[in-house]
Amino acid sequence: MQTTLQDIKLVDIPKIEDRRGNLSVIEKDCVPFDVKRVYYLYDVPSGAYRGGHSHKKLVQFLIALSGSFEVVLKDGKHVERVMLNRPDQGLLIPTGIWRELENFSSGAVCLVLASEVYDEEDYIRNFRTFKSTKRT
Ligand code: TYD
């Protein structure tokens, strides 16, 4: 859990360019975990805010498949804001990092690859609780 913002990685996803359109592919060497779940956020109204939690065990890889959004990342000491707007780039968020997703453009789609199946017990949804896990 004692991860920091240094452990977050922006990863280039291989792109095969073609006159017929581009193709990007995610294989084992791109994502450092076995994918157990895939979900996506879409039809996000302007001004809406997603996330607002951290995870105890889960690792995630976020991709802006379409449009753009911003990810605010916190490790309890520092804050970083990352704009995702390329389908050939993914953001790797390890355990123990607080994330908030905001400023979704119209038509934005956020694809999430996750290392675990859905488990509410894995979430820390209270920022003060999150902060306290970073101190011990
Ligand atoms: P939440 O994780 O809060 O969404 P986000 O972090 O993207 O804002 O989840 C919103 C709701 O959807 C919540 O009731 C839990 C449910 N949910 C599932 O049932 N399965 C899932 O895989 C996910 C991610 C969420």
Side-chain angles (χ1 to χ4, degrees):
M1 293 280 260
Q2 295 312 319
T3 43
T4 71
L5 296 185
Q6 310 264 18
D7 300 307
I8 293 161
K9 288 194 180 72
L10 209 47
V11 178
D12 286 328
I13 302 168
K15 177 163 83 169
I16 300 161
E17 291 185 69
D18 194 303
R19 273 183 291 126
R20 300 169 298 161
N22 297 331
L23 184 157
S24 277
V25 56
I26 299 167
E27 284 186 301
K28 227 176 166 27
D29 52 352
C30 201
V31 182
F33 56 82
D34 288 334
V35 177
K36 290 211 184 125
R37 180 166 52 116
V38 176
Y39 66 92
Y40 36 97
L41 303 171
Y42 58 101
D43 289 348
V44 180
S46 85
Y49 157 103
R50 306 282 327 201
H53 53 74
S54 72
H55 287 278
K56 298 173 193 166
K57 189 169 168 214
L58 178 135
V59 182
Q60 275 184 338
F61 192 73
L62 270 57
I63 307 157
L65 275 195
S66 182
S68 65
F69 54 89
E70 288 181 301
V71 189
V72 180
L73 299 150
K74 300 180 183 174
D75 61 9
K77 276 200 179 135
H78 301 104
V79 182
E80 190 178 334
R81 182 178 286 270
V82 178
M83 156 84 93
L84 290 183
N85 58 4
R86 289 175 48 180
D88 62 347
Q89 203 170 56
L91 183 69
L92 180 72
I93 309 179
T95 57
I97 299 291
W98 187 268
R99 88 289 314 274
E100 294 156 10
L101 278 65
E102 59 188 31
N103 293 327
F104 282 80
S105 70
S106 150
V109 179
C110 171
L111 181 74
V112 183
L113 310 184
S115 67
E116 309 298 329
V117 296
Y118 175 72
D119 176 11
E120 188 57 36
E121 287 295 302
D122 191 65
Y123 282 74
I124 299 175
R125 292 190 184 271
N126 180 290
F127 190 68
R128 284 176 65 181
T129 308
F130 165 72
K131 287 265 278 186
S132 69
T133 68
K134 301 304 270 188
R135 257 182 264 137
T136 50

